[in-house]
Structures are given as structure tokens and as C-alpha cells.
Amino acid sequence: MRIFSINFNGGFAIVDNSTAMMNIINNEYSININEFDSIESAYVQCCRVFIDRELKNGVREQIALPKLEDLALNIAFYKMNHLKQNVGQRVFVAIHPKTVGILTNAEAVVGFYEEVVYANIFEVNTIMEAQNAINFHFLRQIMPMSAYITEKIPYYNNIPTNTLINVDYLEWIKKNLIIPKNLTYNIGLIEN
């Protein structure tokens, strides 16, 4: 069963269907979605991200969270003083090790999850910020190896919205990383 943790400004939800996912995306903002194999793992992620956001917002008192057994599937949990806000243009970054996308609506987000398993989707403010987030995600994994890279690192610019782009950085690393025999490394699926 596919379970999704959805964090948003002022709350979170654990969902298992596209209708609930679209409802939350259409009605909330500052979305962050992750996929898990279990409700328990999704619950832990929801609580962790919710607490992180509250601490970043200056909350210093104990934060009330629902118990897992009290949290209904496909129903959002809201903090006590949550106020709904109007949501303008939406831009979501979708990242998977082999596929990325810049999505602009709930239907595109749900469509991405229909094609890709175990991706992370989060909301940003602009399309430029989305492109930067995609490049940053891969560069922070590749750049520590820059002394052993033989080719120019690929960047993705002008990514069309609501379109999936295949980016196989893992394959690119296999072809362009020259590691001396006395060094060992472990990059995801690549080991020597």
C-alpha cells in the first residue's frame, strides 16, 4: 500500500489516495510530500517536519501532536491557531533519482506519483526557484567528488512545467567519475 505524508503550513495529513492528496494540495500551501511503505513511517515524518517548521517559526513551548491511533487516514491535522490563506500560483518541485519535474497544480502532482514511486515533492515560490532546487539537489551529491569528475556537470535549465524529465545522474556519475584504486566510495547503487 502506498502511504503519503503531506506536510503543509499549519498541519499535516497521512493519505493513501489521490482524491485526499488533491484536496489537501488545493486547499493548503507550503506543501511537502513524501512516500512511505507504512502509516507509522509517514506519521513519524509528518511529526518531524511539523515540529521543524514550528521551531523555525519561533515556537518554544511544548507542541501538541495527535497520537497515531487518534489520527484518521486522509483527514488533515491542523494546529490550534491555523488560519486558512488564499493560495496564488503554485510551483512544486518533484525529485526522484532518475526523474524530475516542475509541477503547477494538484493534478500534475498526483500524476507524477502515478508514474514515479518514492519521489519527494515540495512547494517553492517560483519556477526559477524550482529549477535551482533541482540542480542543487543533484549538485550537493556530485560536487564533493569534483576532484575526480572528468566532464562538465550537467545543469537543467528551462525545464517545461508539468512535464517529467529523465535525469539519470547515477549513470552520468558511473561514466564520468574516475576514482583511484586506493579510494573507496559508496554512491547509492554504485560501489567499488
Side-chain angles (χ1 to χ4, degrees):
M1 174 157 76
R2 296 179 76 183
I3 301 291
F4 300 92
S5 70
I6 304 179
N7 284 83
F8 51 87
N9 190 51
F12 60 82
I14 300 170
V15 304
D16 68 352
N17 67 69
S18 58
T19 303
M21 184 184 289
M22 282 204 307
N23 184 42
I24 291 168
I25 294 168
N26 284 329
N27 290 297
E28 303 302 336
Y29 67 99
S30 194
I31 301 285
N32 186 323
I33 306 171
N34 289 283
E35 184 176 353
F36 295 93
D37 289 327
S38 72
I39 293 172
E40 295 80 7
S41 296
Y43 172 76
V44 169
Q45 175 70 3
C46 282
C47 291
R48 187 190 64 75
V49 172
F50 182 79
I51 295 296
D52 284 353
R53 287 182 178 192
E54 290 296 288
L55 293 174
K56 285 178 185 171
N57 288 330
V59 174
R60 295 296 178 256
E61 66 268 3
Q62 186 170 346
I63 299 169
L65 291 170
K67 294 179 182 177
L68 177 58
E69 56 270 20
D70 296 334
L71 188 64
L73 195 61
N74 301 317
I75 304 292
F77 162 77
Y78 295 95
K79 66 182 183 178
M80 294 300 268
N81 59 352
H82 177 68
L83 298 173
K84 293 268 188 187
Q85 294 189 351
N86 291 334
V87 179
Q89 178 193 6
R90 310 298 296 275
V91 180
F92 301 93
V93 177
I95 296 180
H96 178 269
K98 293 186 177 185
T99 308
V100 298
I102 298 174
L103 313 173
T104 59
N105 58 57
E107 293 80 12
V109 170
V110 170
F112 185 84
Y113 275 121
E114 288 173 355
E115 293 189 36
V116 178
V117 178
Y118 295 113
N120 175 248
I121 296 181
F122 56 94
E123 191 167 7
V124 294
N125 294 318
T126 65
I127 290 174
M128 181 61 76
E129 189 179 344
Q131 288 186 159
N132 289 338
I134 289 169
N135 285 317
F136 177 77
H137 173 79
F138 292 107
L139 289 176
R140 75 173 186 215
Q141 296 174 40
I142 294 173
M143 291 304 280
M145 301 174 281
S146 62
Y148 299 100
I149 294 174
T150 59
E151 295 294 324
K152 185 178 177 198
I153 298 170
Y155 292 91
Y156 290 91
N157 296 314
N158 302 318
I159 298 171
T161 59
N162 300 321
T163 304
L164 301 183
I165 303 292
N166 291 325
V167 291
D168 198 348
Y169 273 103
L170 206 50
E171 192 59 38
W172 183 88
I173 290 170
K174 284 181 188 177
K175 284 193 257 180
N176 295 292
L177 189 63
I178 307 299
I179 299 290
K181 300 258 186 255
N182 61 338
L183 290 179
T184 61
Y185 62 97
N186 180 341
I187 310 164
L189 302 174
I190 307 172
E191 292 184 20
N192 74 338

